[in-house]
Amino acid sequence: MEIYLDNSATTRVSRAAADAAFSVMTENYGNPSAVHSSGVRAGAVLENSRRSVASMLGAEPSEIYFSHSGTLANNTAIFSAVNLRRKMGNRIVTTKTEHPSVARCMDVLEEQGFQVIRLSPGKNGAFQTDELINAVNKNTILVSAMLVNNETGSINPVELIERAVKRVSSPALIHVDAIQAFGKMPVRPSKMGIDLLTVSGHKVHAPKGVGALYVRKNLNIKPVIYGGGQENGLFSGTEPLPAIAGFGAAVNNLGDPRKNLEAMKQKKSYLLSLLRDEKRIVINSPADGLPNIINMSVTGIPSQVLINYLSERGIYISAGSACKRGHRSEVLTALGLPANLIDSAVRVSMSGQTTDEELEIFAAAVKEAIKSIRTKL
């Protein structure tokens, strides 16, 4: 029996998504840009998936653009926003706990001469409101902050960014990386004052190779890659229709994010109850974070040692972001955690497919590891 608890890295493709992708690959395989009947049918699949993603976000289908990954969507949002506003100012506000697909963009912009302000996380891992307000001024052209942190589950109050921007009449556009939040909690960019918002398929049981970017209506951003003009020119290149069809089907199967959130809170509570008596376990995730993600340290056991121990028993977790293996977590470092907790930190991330039995087996295996590895160290 394999127990997969690394759902923040990627998820198992749902049957509905796999069936939709298979159908496109073997039956409805036309190029959606073609004008013949096969292309028209493929185009209908593309638009049905667009409507599904839009509905989950409370957006209009015309505001959704499919990309080949969440990383590409983040890069496009950031560089396009800066290019659109660069004549209005030079300041960019972000956080110290962003995913590498945002953080590395900020490094590049800083090298190009932009002033990048990185907000520090508070005790709960979210940016602090006062620091945000002080950072945004009339010279700010972009504010970019993730909604849910991929390593700790901390939730940033991104709905406050619009208030900070309007307070000083800033021309700043607001970008939110909602890749970890999408489908797991209510996300409504139009109600949250968000101009650009990124989601990804493989975090919600769709195939890898597809993401999407929400672009607020009437916001005319320019692409950062050029080609055949697909997705209204924003993401050129033949659309990965099997993945897009799977994305649409997976979203249709997600259900109500509010109910998903409540169900996951119960799973988190149950898992923590199973681990509560083990004194060497320290929970690094905040109590009010997204319950799907639990970052914890087993003191005295290096992260990779515990990961290997569990992997040998068919239980899969991670040491943090799957995008930065072999590096000490910048997120946990920004939180000010001591080195011993950072070096022993692991991330357990659940999905709606996670069962109580799997959590019980995981908890038992961790307790066995503490006894076994402690003896050997």
Side-chain angles (χ1 to χ4, degrees):
M1 178 181 181
E2 289 193 334
I3 297 174
Y4 187 77
L5 295 171
D6 195 18
N7 290 280
S8 288
T10 197
T11 54
R12 178 189 295 131
V13 174
S14 67
R15 174 56 61 184
D19 287 346
F22 184 75
S23 175
V24 167
M25 288 188 288
T26 59
E27 298 174 11
N28 199 0
Y29 49 80
N31 189 318
S33 296
V35 296
H36 50 61
S37 296
S38 178
V40 171
R41 290 195 299 271
V45 172
L46 178 66
E47 295 312 313
N48 284 337
S49 296
R50 195 186 313 279
R51 282 191 287 271
S52 295
V53 174
S55 178
M56 181 62 72
L57 292 171
E60 296 181 16
S62 61
E63 295 176 304
I64 303 300
Y65 299 84
F66 287 114
S67 68
H68 293 75
S69 69
T71 291
L72 177 58
N74 272 337
N75 273 249
T76 298
I78 290 167
F79 289 116
S80 296
V82 169
N83 287 336
L84 189 63
R85 291 288 196 263
R86 65 189 313 141
K87 292 182 180 180
M88 300 179 182
N90 191 54
R91 181 173 237 190
I92 298 168
V93 177
T94 186
T95 81
K96 293 181 178 180
T97 57
E98 294 300 308
H99 185 273
S101 63
V102 169
R104 299 293 80 81
C105 292
M106 297 302 169
D107 293 342
V108 170
L109 289 167
E110 198 167 37
E111 291 170 1
Q112 293 177 359
F114 289 91
Q115 180 188 23
V116 179
I117 307 300
R118 297 172 176 84
L119 306 177
S120 301
K123 291 183 179 180
N124 67 347
F127 66 71
Q128 302 168 79
T129 305
D130 290 346
E131 191 174 350
L132 168 70
I133 291 173
N134 291 332
V136 177
N137 61 22
K138 291 184 178 181
N139 196 44
T140 305
I141 59 173
L142 173 66
V143 181
S144 179
M146 68 194 330
L147 180 49
V148 172
N149 186 269
N150 56 299
E151 291 191 40
T152 66
S154 299
I155 300 174
N156 275 316
V158 297
E159 66 279 0
L160 300 180
I161 298 175
E162 182 185 30
R163 189 186 309 172
V165 168
K166 288 184 175 180
R167 178 176 173 270
V168 292
S169 300
S170 167
L173 293 175
I174 299 170
H175 166 248
V176 169
D177 174 351
I179 288 174
Q180 292 295 340
F182 182 66
K184 304 175 181 85
M185 62 181 287
V187 180
R188 290 290 188 271
S190 61
K191 293 183 178 180
M192 302 165 84
I194 295 168
D195 299 301
L196 300 154
L197 181 136
T198 311
V199 299
S200 179
H202 75 107
K203 309 295 188 181
V204 291
H205 306 288
K208 299 171 183 64
V210 60
L213 178 63
Y214 161 88
V215 181
R216 176 178 52 77
K217 190 175 182 180
N218 298 324
L219 179 62
N220 187 27
I221 64 170
K222 303 297 182 183
V224 296
I225 60 170
Y226 293 87
Q230 288 85 354
E231 292 301 286
N232 202 30
L234 197 55
F235 295 109
S236 286
T238 301
E239 298 92 343
L241 194 57
I244 290 173
F247 195 4
V251 169
N252 290 339
N253 265 12
L254 286 176
D256 187 341
R258 291 169 295 185
K259 293 181 179 179
N260 296 341
L261 185 62
E262 291 305 314
M264 200 55 60
K265 286 180 180 178
Q266 294 180 18
K267 288 186 185 296
K268 177 181 178 179
S269 178
Y270 183 56
L271 177 56
L272 294 182
S273 72
L274 295 172
L275 299 171
R276 189 166 292 129
D277 294 335
E278 182 48 66
K279 296 180 180 180
R280 290 179 60 193
I281 293 177
V282 178
I283 304 300
N284 302 317
S285 291
D288 60 353
L290 188 77
N292 302 61
I293 301 173
I294 302 174
N295 191 296
M296 62 186 229
S297 296
V298 182
T299 56
I301 303 179
S303 305
Q304 197 58 52
V305 173
L306 181 59
I307 290 169
N308 292 343
Y309 180 93
L310 295 175
S311 181
E312 290 171 358
R313 289 152 180 79
I315 303 171
Y316 308 124
I317 60 173
S318 75
S321 173
C323 303
K324 286 202 70 179
R325 292 181 296 178
H327 298 271
R328 177 171 282 176
S329 168
E330 293 178 9
V331 172
L332 299 184
T333 300
L335 284 170
L337 296 185
N340 68 311
L341 291 186
I342 297 175
D343 293 340
S344 60
V346 295
R347 180 185 66 183
V348 180
S349 48
M350 303 174 286
S351 78
Q353 298 178 358
T354 304
T355 66
D356 286 351
E357 181 185 8
E358 290 175 333
L359 297 180
E360 290 163 3
I361 295 172
F362 164 74
V366 170
K367 292 177 180 180
E368 291 172 5
I370 290 173
K371 294 177 182 178
S372 175
I373 297 173
R374 185 178 187 178
T375 300
K376 295 177 182 179
L377 289 177

